[in-house]
Amino acid sequence: MTGATGKVGGAVLAQLVEAGQRVRALVRDPAKLGEIGGKVEVVKGDLAKPETLDAAFAGVDKAFVLSTGADLPTLVGNAVDAAKKAGAKHIVFLSSSTAAEAYETQIGRWHIEAEAKIKASGLAWTMIQPGAFASNTLSWAGSIKSQGAVFQPTGENKVAPIDPYDIAAVAVKVLISPGHEGKSYVLTGPEALSAAEQVAKISAAIGRPIKFVDVTEDAAREGMVRAGLPEVFIRAILEAHAMVRAGHGGAITTTVEELLGRKARTFDAWLMRHVKAFQ
């Protein structure tokens, strides 16, 4: 698997180990795996460096591929080439719900192109397509602490935030059970919430008032420029905000419950585990 040191990837790794699976993790920095690194096979490498991938994919039956950013199609293409060369049979890709939506965004285009490379490989595939992550709200922690406010140009429109733990649980289900080949699973949380509603929940959890400020797109851009975000990511984030503002982010699926046999975790449940980040 790739992406093992991230939020979703780390949860996938932990749940695979808990399920007794034999796992190999491709990481740039093995030290970041911490204690769990001693429970799995670790290969140092980088999807951006194809020459480092042979050892990671050798003898692998299934590959969980996770990456991000503007280079996503290239990185995924490198993983596909290595997996095919090694004789892997099935690729499970952490994609995005934007790849399944008619509303076009840069993030969607990156994932659509990456998915196309996997589908063209001839290998069996499964696409996991989550919507907004509950953990995206962690990006608000700085302004909550310094200004008691959250600034975002999404108005009153909603998303259905999903707990990254549930995304990982679906990935593990797909990896260790049959019958998921050729399927795309759009994942959401169980309730649609506006940014203001999420802010209100965080406010109640930490016991102090927090304002939600529906800023203009220009003001949001200025904030991201000050934060040092690259232009390509600023454009992608603003497109995602515009999608929500246009009312395209609040659809709810029951896929998590159908696959796992339990209801998807709520934003409140996620917040209880991460409240310290906002205090």
Side-chain angles (χ1 to χ4, degrees):
M1 64 169 295
T2 70
T5 59
K7 290 184 178 67
V8 174
V12 171
L13 183 62
Q15 292 180 46
L16 284 172
V17 169
E18 186 179 346
Q21 298 296 308
R22 182 181 173 193
V23 187
R24 182 183 296 150
L26 171 71
V27 294
R28 290 189 295 267
D29 182 1
K32 289 185 177 180
L33 285 172
E35 184 179 329
I36 201 167
K39 300 177 181 179
V40 301
E41 186 178 345
V42 180
V43 175
K44 185 176 180 179
D46 191 330
L47 287 179
K49 300 175 181 177
E51 68 276 8
T52 68
L53 302 182
D54 286 352
F57 284 86
V60 164
D61 183 49
K62 297 184 180 183
F64 176 69
V65 177
L66 185 167
S67 192
T68 59
D71 294 333
L72 179 66
T74 298
L75 300 178
V76 170
N78 291 342
V80 168
D81 291 344
K84 193 168 184 178
K85 180 180 176 183
K89 299 177 178 65
H90 186 188
I91 290 180
V92 178
F93 175 50
L94 184 67
S95 185
S96 165
S97 64
T98 56
E101 294 165 348
Y103 194 91
E104 188 173 323
T105 64
Q106 181 60 70
I107 294 171
R109 290 188 288 273
W110 290 335
H111 286 89
I112 288 168
E113 188 177 340
E115 286 191 6
K117 291 195 174 189
I118 295 170
K119 291 176 180 178
S121 71
L123 302 176
W125 53 265
T126 308
M127 308 302 177
I128 297 175
Q129 301 171 321
F133 289 20
S135 55
N136 289 350
T137 59
L138 292 171
S139 67
W140 299 343
S143 65
I144 286 173
K145 292 174 183 178
S146 64
Q147 301 176 68
V150 169
F151 306 88
Q152 189 166 287
T154 48
E156 298 178 357
N157 285 299
K158 303 187 178 190
V159 297
I162 182 168
D163 189 326
Y165 183 93
D166 281 348
I167 302 170
V170 168
V172 170
K173 176 79 172 185
V174 168
L175 285 163
I176 68 176
S177 63
H180 304 285
E181 294 83 355
K183 295 183 179 179
S184 297
Y185 294 124
V186 177
L187 310 180
T188 73
E191 58 186 339
L193 298 167
S194 67
E197 288 169 332
Q198 293 172 73
V199 167
K201 287 178 179 290
I202 296 169
S203 176
I206 66 174
R208 57 180 279 227
I210 309 170
K211 293 185 298 181
F212 169 71
V213 183
D214 181 29
V215 297
T216 65
E217 203 169 274
D218 286 344
R221 168 180 284 281
E222 287 177 18
M224 286 185 276
V225 168
R226 285 197 304 272
L229 267 66
E231 176 61 25
V232 65
F233 289 112
I234 292 174
R235 289 200 306 270
I237 292 168
L238 289 176
E239 282 187 355
H241 286 332
M243 181 187 76
V244 174
R245 194 175 191 94
H248 294 278
I252 297 171
T253 71
T254 56
T255 313
V256 170
E257 184 173 357
E258 291 163 9
L259 289 172
L260 302 181
R262 63 163 175 81
K263 293 188 180 298
R265 295 182 176 200
T266 62
F267 180 79
D268 290 317
W270 175 86
L271 181 57
M272 283 180 64
R273 302 199 319 274
H274 296 88
V275 67
K276 288 183 179 179
F278 302 99
Q279 290 172 335

